[in-house]
Amino acid sequence: LINDNALITPIIIKEEVIGIFLLSVNKAYTEGEKKFLSTLIGQGGFAIESALLYEELTEQERLKRELEIARTVQQSLLPQKNPQIPGLDIDAICIPATEIGGDYYDYFFINDHTIGIAIADVTGKGTSAAFYMAVVKGIMLSLSSIFSSPKQLLSELNRRLYGSMDKKIFITMTYALIEAKRKKLKFARAGHNALIRKQAKQSKVECFVPLGIGLGLDNGNLFDSTISEQEIKYEKGDTFLFYTDGITEAMNAQKKEFGEQRLIDFIAQIDFQDSRQLQENIINAVKKFVKEAPQHDDITM
């Protein structure tokens, strides 16, 4: 029971009451005792604040360490070197916007002169995107050796992903098979960006956008009836560009996007000796466009 002589004092940290100190005895307190208790409680408030800050910093360090581990794991899922296929010059880059990105690309060796190339973008970022990236890579490793049709592979990938994915998440992907000996590229896209080709002879730039919706959005009926496959014959010196929307949707301080048309025009205008040089030129063009504006999405090509 609280009597008439009880002393009740709030414990305040940064103008916020975090608790109440209550002392109840059978005698009245002197002004000196009240002042002493007030000072003591104030010191106690500082001690509590320090403890809370330490706990918060410890939690932040734990989360930071977990993100570092997830980033390391995610980076290990991407190819560690560029593939060597006679007749092809292949290069790739992935620049995450945050500690853990949502972009993914991979190579699948079918035989000495045929390679599968995948590029994908998982909606969202963070550990969930990294988790789905790992799932996709595992499934792709098994499917790439079974299906010689990119369309059929993506259909089977969608079936395996649907039902196990969070309904708020989906994945866009392009998967292509390149036969270097026959100079033929066959590909399908699941809601991903266009495939761009620059022809060496005419310096002509084309965009290929066969039909297809994102992975994980449908149980298979709509996906299978929508997706299509396209085959392209190419010549020596032709260039194909696979990319994610981190390039075309890169924004400057005025919130203006780099855009697909700007990318197409840029590729049409420049000369380059190999894939690495084209890659560096595009990155520099995007950086020049956005200037000091922060990167808000992963850049992969």
Side-chain angles (χ1 to χ4, degrees):
L1 296 175
I2 301 175
N3 57 36
D4 293 338
N5 295 322
L7 181 67
I8 302 174
T9 305
I11 303 173
I12 300 173
I13 296 178
K14 295 179 180 177
E15 301 182 354
E16 182 180 349
V17 177
I18 66 159
I20 295 175
F21 179 83
L22 188 149
L23 187 60
S24 179
V25 294
N26 294 323
K27 67 164 190 171
Y29 292 101
T30 66
E31 288 303 317
E33 288 173 329
K34 290 179 180 178
K35 187 174 181 180
F36 172 73
L37 284 171
S38 178
T39 302
L40 191 64
I41 292 166
Q43 293 299 319
F46 286 125
I48 293 170
E49 181 181 20
S50 296
L52 291 173
L53 285 172
Y54 178 77
E55 185 179 340
E56 184 179 339
L57 286 171
T58 302
E59 178 66 11
Q60 287 177 355
E61 285 298 317
R62 184 185 68 80
L63 291 173
K64 183 180 178 182
R65 179 59 182 154
E66 285 185 0
L67 287 174
E68 287 174 353
I69 293 171
R71 180 183 175 90
T72 301
V73 171
Q74 186 182 41
Q75 290 298 311
S76 70
L77 294 174
L78 299 176
Q80 302 305 301
K81 60 181 181 179
N82 295 316
Q84 302 299 315
I85 298 286
L88 297 178
D89 167 43
I90 301 174
D91 207 336
I93 190 170
C94 179
I95 307 172
T98 58
E99 288 90 347
I100 307 175
D103 282 4
Y104 164 70
Y105 73 91
D106 218 339
Y107 309 121
F108 305 93
F109 294 92
I110 311 304
N111 54 49
D112 292 341
H113 53 83
T114 305
I115 187 171
I117 295 179
I119 187 167
D121 187 354
V122 183
T123 57
K125 300 291 179 284
T127 53
S128 63
F131 169 76
Y132 286 116
M133 180 192 291
V135 171
V136 168
K137 183 181 180 72
I139 299 174
M140 288 293 293
L141 283 170
S142 65
L143 297 184
S144 60
S145 61
I146 299 172
F147 294 98
S148 58
S149 163
K151 173 183 173 180
Q152 291 176 3
L153 183 145
L154 290 179
S155 291
E156 180 60 25
L157 177 60
N158 178 70
R159 272 190 286 275
R160 296 194 187 188
L161 288 174
Y162 186 80
S164 63
M165 286 180 63
D166 187 319
K167 297 309 175 187
K168 297 178 183 177
I169 293 177
F170 67 93
I171 301 169
T172 67
M173 176 184 278
T174 290
Y175 179 65
L177 280 175
I178 303 179
E179 296 181 46
K181 212 176 242 186
R182 299 173 61 189
K183 292 188 176 62
K184 183 179 74 173
L185 181 148
K186 183 167 56 175
F187 84 107
R189 56 180 284 277
H192 200 72
N193 301 84
L195 174 64
I196 296 177
R197 173 174 72 165
K198 181 174 184 178
Q199 293 179 302
K201 290 182 178 178
Q202 306 156 310
S203 292
K204 178 183 177 183
V205 177
E206 304 168 280
C207 280
F208 300 94
V209 194
L211 293 176
I213 64 172
L215 298 161
L217 291 172
D218 169 73
N219 63 4
N221 295 328
L222 179 60
F223 188 95
D224 293 348
S225 64
T226 304
I227 193 166
S228 62
E229 188 172 282
Q230 190 164 357
E231 186 172 299
I232 306 166
K233 293 289 288 182
Y234 64 87
E235 301 295 332
K236 182 179 178 180
D238 286 1
T239 302
F240 290 98
L241 175 67
F242 302 77
Y243 64 97
T244 61
D245 57 15
I247 294 175
T248 52
E249 294 180 6
M251 289 189 294
N252 58 21
Q254 290 73 44
K255 303 297 181 183
K256 187 176 181 180
E257 293 185 348
F258 188 76
E260 187 178 80
Q261 191 58 52
R262 193 185 306 271
L263 175 62
I264 292 168
D265 293 342
F266 178 77
I267 294 171
Q269 293 165 7
I270 65 168
D271 293 320
F272 47 90
Q273 299 302 313
D274 53 27
S275 297
R276 174 62 61 89
Q277 191 176 34
L278 172 61
Q279 176 195 109
E280 291 173 350
N281 286 337
I282 292 174
I283 293 295
N284 290 334
V286 171
K287 287 181 177 179
K288 184 178 179 181
F289 177 80
V290 301
K291 295 181 180 176
E292 300 302 319
Q295 181 184 342
H296 71 278
D297 199 2
D298 307 328
I299 289 176
T300 305
M301 61 177 150

